[in-house]
Amino acid sequence: EPEVTQTPSHQVTQMGQEVILRCVPISNHLYFYWYRQILGQKVEFLVSFYNNEISEKSEIFDDQFSVERPDGSNFTLKIRSTKLEDSAMYFCATQQSREGYTFGSGTRLTVV
Amino acid sequence: AQSVTQLGSHVSVSEGALVLLRCNYSSSVPPYLFWYVQYPNQGLQLLLKYTSAATLVKGINGFEAEFKKSETSFHLTKPSAHMSDAAEYFCAVILSGGGADGLTFGKGTHLIIQP
């Protein structure tokens, strides 16, 4: 079964540093998403991406965050200047239709 | 806008007993509804989904859920709990119309299985 691949599985970074989280979507999927889960809390929607631009974003997705699909395959989430409260599990998800989301296994980001 | 309420942050059942995890939704248009399971330190695995076909949906690992429009509910059940079912369970909703808005998740229910 096709999978969404996320790298790295775990990243530790110092506060103020930039991080890039990477996702390889399923090849024929058209919609791409990033979600965040702070430890012990619910999964929260960050942003959706379709046709090479942001379609929707939540209040969490402020100017520190950006997404792009630089080479037509990878889908990346960049945090420009990380804060302690950015520590979370970040999930990439892709979708062909509204019935069929597939989540990656996540990247655990630890900001120290 | 849509929302999801999961009643009970923790549910404890004995091995072999019925599992019932509650989910109520609010949506302005017909929704699509999902249940996901998350094992410790792992990602989200789809258990089952309702996408406006049959109201009783069967998923993996013996779980099923019934969409009840009159009650705006989508409760998850399993007739006989197994120790391996211990995990966090999330109900999620999305509007059935077009667009790229994301899933809205409930806060999750931690299922504890007592031996």
Side-chain angles (χ1 to χ4, degrees), chain A residues 31 33 35 37 41-45 48 50 55-56 89 91 95 98-101 103-105 108, chain B residues 32 34 36 38 41-44 49 51 90 94-103 105-107:
Chain A
Y31 297 89
Y33 303 82
Y35 291 81
Q37 185 183 31
Q41 298 188 24
K42 69 175 180 178
V43 180
E44 300 172 292
F45 168 73
S48 61
Y50 171 71
S55 298
E56 302 281 346
M89 182 75 91
F91 291 106
Q95 178 197 28
R98 294 176 83 70
E99 302 178 12
Y101 273 84
F103 281 83
S105 55
R108 182 172 297 284
Chain B
Y32 288 165
F34 304 79
Y36 286 89
Q38 185 180 34
N41 300 314
Q42 294 189 27
L44 296 165
K49 60 185 177 183
T51 55
F90 293 95
I94 193 169
L95 302 182
S96 58
D101 49 310
L103 289 166
F105 283 84
K107 291 185 177 181

Side-chain angles (χ1 to χ4, degrees), chain A residues 45-92:
Chain A
F45 168 73
L46 290 178
V47 65
S48 61
F49 191 85
Y50 171 71
N51 200 25
N52 289 319
E53 62 182 21
I54 291 174
S55 298
E56 302 281 346
K57 59 183 180 179
S58 70
E59 294 177 351
I60 302 168
F61 195 87
D62 61 23
D63 292 342
Q64 292 295 320
F65 292 90
S66 63
V67 290
E68 63 176 359
R69 200 170 180 220
D71 56 8
S73 59
N74 290 300
F75 177 52
T76 63
L77 174 69
K78 181 190 291 185
I79 309 175
R80 289 190 182 84
S81 178
T82 51
K83 303 185 283 288
L84 293 176
E85 54 264 38
D86 293 327
S87 295
M89 182 75 91
Y90 288 82
F91 291 106
C92 173

Side-chain angles (χ1 to χ4, degrees), chain B residues 3-21:
Chain B
S3 66
V4 174
T5 301
Q6 290 184 242
L7 294 175
S9 58
H10 290 77
V11 170
S12 180
V13 302
S14 299
E15 191 176 15
L18 171 72
V19 174
L20 171 61
L21 304 183

Side-chain angles (χ1 to χ4, degrees), chain B residues 1-114:
Chain B
Q2 64 271 28
S3 66
V4 174
T5 301
Q6 290 184 242
L7 294 175
S9 58
H10 290 77
V11 170
S12 180
V13 302
S14 299
E15 191 176 15
L18 171 72
V19 174
L20 171 61
L21 304 183
R22 298 178 187 274
C23 172
N24 288 89
Y25 70 91
S26 140
S27 174
S28 55
V29 299
Y32 288 165
L33 292 155
F34 304 79
W35 275 101
Y36 286 89
V37 61
Q38 185 180 34
Y39 298 100
N41 300 314
Q42 294 189 27
L44 296 165
Q45 182 180 10
L46 179 67
L47 273 178
L48 48 78
K49 60 185 177 183
Y50 166 76
T51 55
S52 74
T55 56
L56 181 62
V57 181
K58 294 187 183 300
I60 62 171
N61 302 339
F63 284 93
E64 63 181 40
E66 186 171 8
F67 173 70
K68 292 187 176 181
K69 184 179 178 180
S70 61
E71 298 177 8
T72 61
S73 70
F74 190 57
H75 301 330
L76 181 71
T77 61
K78 181 174 180 176
S80 177
H82 192 274
M83 295 300 291
S84 62
D85 294 326
E88 191 82 15
Y89 291 80
F90 293 95
C91 182
V93 63
I94 193 169
L95 302 182
S96 58
D101 49 310
L103 289 166
T104 298
F105 283 84
K107 291 185 177 181
T109 298
H110 186 66
L111 178 62
I112 301 163
I113 310 297
Q114 304 280 4

